[in-house]
């Protein structure tokens, strides 16, 4: 069951990453954030998620877009 | 590798060629219709303004002529003091205007027009003699000019040339109409004005077509360039190269297409990486 926060993150991510956005977010939280499930994300995890969006997302969509994407996620809190 | 013939077919079928040709045809059509309409309207307006000008000149000049003296002139009076005085008056009036060519006086005799004084007397041996009847294409207008100043509706041609003329009544001291003053403007004057306007419109349209053509060429080039970039990216992905970044930044529909395409590519990459990890 998705929390309201994870739902909002996913909505923003879909714009940048398309239908595989959830897959990307799950991979970032599981691999880089102590095996955290994406559904369990809380506002305190957002800075770390933004960091990994900049790193991993930058490889996929370019650094500039990844930064823009990250700022949108950061602004949720 | 494209051969010469294939390259030509490719150019013929390209979106840029189709867009450019469509716009050029559209511009030429619009420019042609605009030229025809504007030129026609301007010509009519010019003719109307020249008619007004002639009516004003004839109306104003007719008040300067001594109607009592005109009424006394009869056939064979050419060279007499009365005749010369009126002719000199006509010369003076003609010299005041830069647009009029000839001035002359008619008498209406039982619906027939007879010349009284022609300002060509003493200049041109082909002047109209006093009492000489004149079968004018503006006959009805001249008859009507006994009450109100008027002007030719169209150019007419007689033995002296092609003119547009203004007519106005000349009255004696008692207020009786004794003659009609005719004021000619040569057609070449009017045609020169029409040509000037036509050439100006033509020049403006030509400059507009060139500017529009350059803008179309520029915009179609940038659109086609970005479509080609998208096409190249799609081709690379279809051949298995996933290291593709779609480098198209526009704020229009092409930009939206590029963003959608880019999102699709990103999604594909994520899915493929996910599958790799699972394996």
């Amino acid at each position: 069951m998705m929390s309201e926060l994870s739902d909002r993150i996913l909505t923003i991510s879909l714009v940048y990453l398309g239908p595989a956005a959830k897959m990307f977010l799950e991979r970032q939280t599981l691999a880089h954030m102590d095996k955290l499930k994406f559904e369990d994300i809380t506002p305190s995890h957002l800075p770390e998620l933004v960091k990994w969006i900049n790193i991993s997302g930058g490889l996929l969509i370019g650094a500039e877009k990844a930064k823009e994407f990250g700022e949108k996620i950061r602004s949720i809190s | 590798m494209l051969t010469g013939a294939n390259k030509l077919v490719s150019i013929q079928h390209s979106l840029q060629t189709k867009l450019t040709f469509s716009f050029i045809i559209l511009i030429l059509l619009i420019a042609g219709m605009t030229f025809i309409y504007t030129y026609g309207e301007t010509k009519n307006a010019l003719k109307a303004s020249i008619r007004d000008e002639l009516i004003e000149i004839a109306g104003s000049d007719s008040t300067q002529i001594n109607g009592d003296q005109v009424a006394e002139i009869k056939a064979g009076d050419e060279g007499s003091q009365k005749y010369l005085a009126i002719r000199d008056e006509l010369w003076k009036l003609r010299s005041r205007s830069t647009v009029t060519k000839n001035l002359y006086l008619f008498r209406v005799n039982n619906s027939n027009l007879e010349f009284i004084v022609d300002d060509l007397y003493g200049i041109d041996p082909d002047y109209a003699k006093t009492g000489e009847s004149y079968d004018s294409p503006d006959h009805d207008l001249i008859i009507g000019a006994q009450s109100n100043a008027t002007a030719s509706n169209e150019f007419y041609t007689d033995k002296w040339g092609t003119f547009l003329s203004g007519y106005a009544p000349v009255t004696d001291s008692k207020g009786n109409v004794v003659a009609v003053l005719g004021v000619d403007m040569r057609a070449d004057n009017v045609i020169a004005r029409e040509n000037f306007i036509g050439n100006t419109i033509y020049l403006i349209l030509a400059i507009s077509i060139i500017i529009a053509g350059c803008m179309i060429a520029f915009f179609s080039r940038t659109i086609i360039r970005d479509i080609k970039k998208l096409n190249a990216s799609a081709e690379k992905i279809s051949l298995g190269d996933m290291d593709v970044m779609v480098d198209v930044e526009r704020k229009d529909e092409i930009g939206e297409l590029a963003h959608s395409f880019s999102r699709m590519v990103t999604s594909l990459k994520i899915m493929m990486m996910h599958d790799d990890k699972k394996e």
Side-chain angles (χ1 to χ4, degrees):
Chain A
M1 187 73 179
M2 295 261 281
S3 66
E4 195 196 328
L5 179 64
S6 48
D7 213 23
R8 285 175 69 189
I9 293 170
L10 183 59
T11 307
I12 293 169
S13 306
L14 280 170
V15 176
Y16 291 90
L17 307 172
K22 196 175 174 199
M23 217 177 266
F24 171 83
L25 293 165
E26 276 170 349
R27 175 150 181 75
Q28 300 313 307
T29 54
L30 283 172
H32 306 299
M33 295 165 73
D34 296 331
K35 296 189 173 144
L36 173 74
K37 283 186 180 171
F38 174 60
E39 289 82 359
D40 298 335
I41 200 161
T42 64
S44 63
H45 294 118
L46 287 181
E48 189 66 7
L49 179 64
V50 170
K51 183 183 125 187
W52 286 105
I53 284 174
N54 281 328
I55 297 168
S56 309
L59 297 171
L60 289 165
I61 57 176
E64 205 176 316
K65 274 198 173 173
K67 195 178 169 197
E68 182 189 302
F69 175 22
E71 287 310 312
K72 284 193 180 168
I73 299 296
R74 194 193 304 277
S75 68
I76 294 175
S77 57
Chain B
M1 192 77 177
L2 285 175
T3 64
N6 285 343
K7 210 170 180 178
L8 189 67
V9 171
S10 165
I11 289 169
Q12 278 175 350
H13 288 280
S14 87
L15 199 56
Q16 186 169 11
T17 311
K18 286 173 187 168
L19 269 176
T20 307
F21 270 97
S22 306
F23 277 119
I24 286 172
I25 289 168
L26 190 69
I27 288 172
L28 288 177
L29 268 175
I30 293 171
M33 286 193 293
T34 309
F35 181 79
I36 290 168
Y37 178 76
T38 315
Y39 187 53
E41 286 296 305
T42 313
K43 252 173 88 172
N44 290 340
L46 178 67
K47 198 180 275 179
S49 108
I50 288 170
R51 280 192 80 235
D52 290 346
E53 199 177 346
L54 279 169
I55 289 170
E56 204 183 306
I57 292 171
S60 137
D61 286 359
S62 66
T63 60
Q64 307 298 310
I65 295 166
N66 186 331
D68 295 325
Q69 272 187 327
V70 171
E72 288 172 15
I73 296 172
K74 50 189 186 304
D77 274 353
E78 293 93 335
S80 69
Q81 245 182 339
K82 283 179 290 186
Y83 185 97
L84 292 175
I86 299 292
R87 189 219 42 193
D88 290 349
E89 187 61 43
L90 294 180
W91 275 4
K92 211 161 80 185
L93 292 171
R94 187 177 64 180
S95 66
R96 286 199 322 201
S97 166
T98 53
V99 293
T100 52
K101 175 71 184 162
N102 300 115
L103 282 89
Y104 41 86
L105 292 163
F106 292 117
R107 182 176 287 137
V108 181
N109 192 358
N110 293 328
S111 291
N112 289 324
L113 302 176
E114 288 174 0
F115 280 105
I116 307 171
V117 179
D118 184 359
D119 74 347
L120 286 178
Y121 177 78
I123 304 170
D124 185 346
D126 203 18
Y127 75 96
K129 294 173 183 59
T130 308
E132 183 182 323
S133 66
Y134 179 48
D135 186 20
S136 169
D138 281 344
H139 181 274
D140 294 342
L141 277 173
I142 297 167
I143 301 286
Q146 288 181 102
S147 48
N148 276 316
T150 185
S152 316
N153 293 317
E154 293 297 335
F155 289 113
Y156 68 87
T157 303
D158 60 16
K159 66 174 177 176
W160 290 285
T162 301
F163 302 99
L164 207 62
S165 302
Y167 308 102
V170 176
T171 54
D172 63 12
S173 53
K174 290 174 190 161
N176 300 318
V177 176
V178 293
V180 171
L181 171 70
V183 177
D184 287 348
M185 180 187 275
R186 284 194 82 96
D188 42 12
N189 260 354
V190 183
I191 289 165
R193 288 195 206 183
E194 282 179 2
N195 285 345
F196 173 74
I197 290 169
N199 289 340
T200 307
I201 296 171
Y202 188 73
L203 188 71
I204 290 169
L205 282 177
I207 291 170
S208 308
I209 289 171
I210 291 169
I211 292 171
C214 290
M215 283 173 76
I216 288 164
F218 173 75
F219 284 122
S220 68
R221 228 183 110 199
T222 60
I223 289 169
I224 302 304
R225 182 196 61 201
D226 289 339
I227 290 176
K228 277 181 178 168
K229 276 187 190 173
L230 276 173
N231 192 27
S233 302
E235 199 170 341
K236 276 185 185 172
I237 292 162
S238 72
L239 294 170
D241 180 0
M242 294 303 287
D243 291 328
V244 172
M245 285 279 183
V246 181
D247 175 29
V248 176
E249 280 301 328
R250 299 174 68 101
K251 293 190 191 309
D252 56 12
E253 288 81 351
I254 305 282
E256 283 172 20
L257 174 68
H259 282 146
S260 303
F261 182 78
S262 183
R263 197 160 43 224
M264 190 184 73
V265 173
T266 307
S267 239
L268 268 175
K269 283 183 194 172
I270 295 169
M271 285 176 192
M272 285 171 81
M273 284 190 310
H274 187 76
D275 288 349
D276 287 349
K277 298 273 179 210
K278 272 205 274 188
E279 281 164 17

